């Protein structure tokens, strides 16, 4: 994993305008950005103090609406050249870009071979970024290995000192976007972290009550559903799917939900878990996860037809869209059975259910709903709580 140092303030204006011209935008667009970016001047003001004018030849405003678009256009030729260089050098590397950072992915049965591939690709990447006026932030560069081996293994470090970089020692766990990965993709630390966080939230929610009036069980139940359960189940799609070993995960989550049920009812600690969960109106955690998974299986079909997920899942695509060589339809039945993951489950269980579903259909637009077309067929009885007279 690498990060580009000061990415948004380091974009070269002249190179960006040249890229806009080469991409094929209307000359008026490139002229507008040339006038907007090139030869800009800046002055800092603080109360009555005003600094002299400075020339700004690089950078786009990170908070502006145009910065994500301009930065993506700025990186598009870089990624194209990088992919072409790695292909010519026959280095089997995949690159995932996240605007101001990215991932270099190497797949091999040997850790030493993977490290050599990462070293070569990192060398090409750093030199190419330098030609674009960008620099890698070495302090945020990390390496991590995944392995299917059931045995213990020693992970070799990745020495980037010949490239003026650090010596990267693989970590036991890797936290990215709130997801905690380990070498076996077991997600034990992920579950422990978010279950402990949910229990801590319960302890702090207890402070909402006061001496005169405590929180009612109904309010506690609502707080659990809205504030605590989403924390405990964050990223459940990573580990809850068909044929996944989830006994440890269920054990930790059941302990968490038992403590919540005891808190809701103020019950004894020795109370049976199933009974207090039923009285508190809490669905068992396994069934709740199944319900969420079924709802989630519909979401890919609400995406546009040219979305990457639809491109991976759909068998019948329009002729204007080129088929993806990594689509699920290209797998054999044996490969589909052996492959584990939420996307495979969604494709298998939802196949044929929504063959003609269109998220942009006219029926989904405002004014075309059933209640809009036949308003006289609906009636609403609004119940108001009567105030008891003293």
């Amino acid at each position: 994993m690498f990060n580009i140092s000061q990415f948004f303030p380091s974009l070269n204006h002249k190179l960006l305008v040249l890229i806009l011209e080469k991409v094929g935008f209307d000359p008026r667009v490139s002229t507008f950005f040339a006038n907007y970016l090139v030869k800009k001047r800046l002055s800092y003001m603080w109360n009555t103090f005003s600094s002299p004018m400075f020339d700004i030849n690089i950078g786009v405003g990170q908070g502006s609406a145009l910065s994500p678009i301009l930065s993506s256009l700025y990186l598009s030729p870089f990624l194209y050249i990088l992919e072409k260089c790695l292909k010519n050098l026959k280095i089997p590397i995949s690159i995932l870009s996240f605007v101001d950072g990215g991932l270099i992915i190497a797949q091999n049965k040997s850790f030493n071979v993977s490290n050599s591939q990462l070293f070569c690709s990192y060398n090409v990447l750093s030199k190419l970024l330098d030609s674009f006026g960008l620099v890698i932030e070495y302090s945020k560069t990390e390496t991590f290995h995944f392995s299917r081996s059931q045995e213990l293994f020693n992970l070799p470090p990745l020495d980037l000192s010949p490239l003026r970089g650090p010596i990267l020692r693989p970590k036991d766990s890797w936290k990215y976007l709130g997801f905690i990965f380990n070498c076996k993709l077991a997600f034990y630390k992920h579950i422990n972290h978010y279950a402990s966080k949910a229990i801590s939230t319960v302890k702090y929610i207890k402070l909402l009550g006061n001496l005169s009036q405590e929180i009612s069980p109904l309010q506690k139940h609502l707080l659990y559903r809205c504030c605590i359960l989403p924390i405990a189940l964050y990223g459940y799609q990573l580990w809850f799917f068909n044929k996944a070993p989830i006994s440890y995960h269920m054990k930790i989550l059941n302990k968490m939900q038992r403590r919540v049920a005891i808190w809701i009812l103020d019950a004894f600690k020795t109370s049976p878990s199933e009974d207090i969960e039923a009285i508190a109106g809490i669905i068992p955690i396994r069934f709740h996860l199944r319900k969420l998974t079924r709802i989630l299986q519909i979401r890919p079909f609400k995406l546009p037809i040219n979305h990457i997920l639809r491109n991976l899942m759909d068998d019948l695509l329009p002729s204007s869209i080129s088929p993806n060589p990594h689509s699920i339809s290209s797998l054999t039945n044996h490969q589909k059975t052996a492959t584990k993951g939420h996307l495979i489950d969604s494709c298998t269980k939802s196949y044929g259910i929504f063959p003609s579903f269109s998220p942009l259909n006219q029926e989904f637009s405002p004014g075309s709903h059933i209640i809009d077309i036949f308003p006289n067929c609906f009636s609403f009885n609004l119940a108001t709580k009567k105030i008891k007279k003293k």
Side-chain angles (χ1 to χ4, degrees):
M1 180 179 177
F2 65 92
N3 191 277
I4 302 174
S5 178
Q6 297 293 317
F7 174 70
F8 289 99
S10 302
L11 302 186
N12 188 284
H13 293 167
K14 293 183 179 180
L15 179 58
L16 180 57
V17 174
L18 181 61
I19 290 172
L20 292 175
E21 293 176 355
K22 292 292 184 180
V23 167
F25 281 100
D26 191 278
R28 291 174 293 181
V29 176
S30 56
T31 304
F32 167 78
F33 281 105
N35 296 331
Y36 175 71
L37 294 172
V38 180
K39 295 182 180 180
K40 289 183 67 175
R41 306 192 74 190
L42 177 67
S43 175
Y44 294 97
M45 299 185 65
W46 181 263
N47 294 334
T48 58
F49 170 77
S50 178
S51 69
M53 300 294 290
F54 297 96
D55 293 330
I56 303 176
N57 298 322
I58 57 175
V60 294
Q62 187 169 353
S64 66
L66 292 174
S67 60
I69 301 173
L70 295 176
S71 59
S72 300
L73 291 172
Y74 192 89
L75 281 179
S76 58
F78 161 77
L79 295 173
Y80 173 78
I81 297 172
L82 177 61
E83 185 179 355
K84 195 172 183 180
C85 291
L86 295 175
K87 187 176 181 180
N88 293 335
L89 295 173
K90 297 182 179 181
I91 303 176
I93 290 292
S94 302
I95 302 290
L96 294 179
S97 176
F98 308 109
V99 185
D100 61 342
L103 295 175
I104 305 175
I105 304 173
Q107 300 182 24
N108 201 281
K109 295 182 179 180
S110 171
F111 292 117
N112 294 324
V113 175
S114 296
N115 278 352
S116 63
Q117 293 173 351
L118 292 173
F119 179 87
C120 296
S121 59
Y122 191 88
N123 185 21
V124 176
L125 175 72
S126 58
K127 290 181 178 179
L128 188 58
L129 282 174
D130 186 62
S131 64
F132 275 73
L134 302 172
V135 180
I136 293 179
E137 192 170 355
Y138 297 113
S139 61
K140 294 185 178 180
T141 305
E142 298 177 346
T143 181
F144 194 80
H145 292 283
F146 298 100
S147 176
R148 295 180 179 177
S149 176
Q150 301 297 326
E151 301 176 357
L152 296 176
F153 48 85
N154 294 323
L155 299 174
L158 178 60
D159 188 5
L160 299 178
S161 56
L163 306 177
R164 297 177 299 170
I167 298 177
L168 302 178
R169 303 189 182 280
K171 300 180 178 180
D172 295 332
S173 61
W174 176 44
K175 189 173 183 179
Y176 185 71
L177 298 178
F179 308 119
I180 303 175
F181 302 88
N182 64 345
C183 297
K184 303 293 185 182
L185 291 179
F187 298 101
Y188 294 153
K189 290 187 178 181
H190 180 90
I191 286 292
N192 290 333
H193 174 76
Y194 284 101
S196 301
K197 201 170 183 179
I199 293 173
S200 301
T201 306
V202 172
K203 294 180 180 178
Y204 288 115
I205 285 180
K206 291 180 181 179
L207 301 176
L208 295 176
N210 51 42
L211 296 175
S212 60
Q213 183 178 2
E214 294 185 356
I215 306 176
S216 66
L218 184 60
Q219 293 170 335
K220 291 179 181 179
H221 177 269
L222 185 61
L223 285 171
Y224 171 66
R225 293 291 302 272
C226 299
C227 304
I228 301 172
L229 195 58
I231 296 175
L233 301 183
Y234 177 74
Y236 74 92
Q237 300 92 336
L238 296 173
W239 52 266
F240 188 81
F241 50 85
N242 189 27
K243 298 180 182 179
I246 58 173
S247 59
Y248 178 82
H249 310 74
M250 292 295 103
K251 180 181 177 182
I252 298 298
L253 292 175
N254 285 331
K255 284 184 179 180
M256 180 274 302
Q257 186 156 281
R258 171 182 169 80
R259 294 186 63 173
V260 171
I262 291 174
W263 165 67
I264 291 176
L265 300 176
D266 290 328
F268 293 107
K269 292 183 179 180
T270 57
S271 303
S273 300
E274 295 80 3
D275 297 345
I276 57 176
E277 286 182 5
I279 296 173
I282 300 176
I283 184 174
I285 199 73
R286 182 185 291 271
F287 297 123
H288 184 68
L289 285 169
R290 290 179 183 175
K291 181 188 70 173
L292 294 178
T293 304
R294 292 193 188 99
I295 296 173
L296 195 64
Q297 288 171 356
I298 305 175
R299 291 186 180 179
F301 297 93
K302 297 181 180 180
L303 298 172
I305 193 66
N306 58 348
H307 195 274
I308 184 171
L309 289 181
R310 293 291 300 273
N311 195 258
L312 288 172
M313 295 176 62
D314 288 356
D315 292 332
L316 302 175
L317 291 172
S319 58
S320 59
I321 301 176
S322 58
N324 194 317
H326 304 290
S327 64
I328 297 176
S329 60
S330 62
L331 300 177
T332 62
N333 292 331
H334 177 71
Q335 290 174 333
K336 290 180 180 179
T337 305
T339 305
K340 301 177 183 178
H342 178 76
L343 193 62
I344 291 288
D345 292 350
S346 180
C347 183
T348 303
K349 296 179 180 180
S350 303
Y351 179 73
I353 297 178
F354 305 104
S356 60
F357 184 85
S358 175
L360 302 179
N361 194 286
Q362 183 64 27
E363 294 182 2
F364 296 103
S365 60
S368 301
H369 299 164
I370 296 179
I371 193 172
D372 299 327
I373 300 175
F374 306 101
N376 298 329
C377 299
F378 293 86
S379 61
F380 299 93
N381 297 320
L382 302 178
T384 57
K385 187 180 290 186
K386 296 181 180 180
I387 302 176
K388 294 181 179 181
K389 297 181 180 181
K390 294 184 179 179

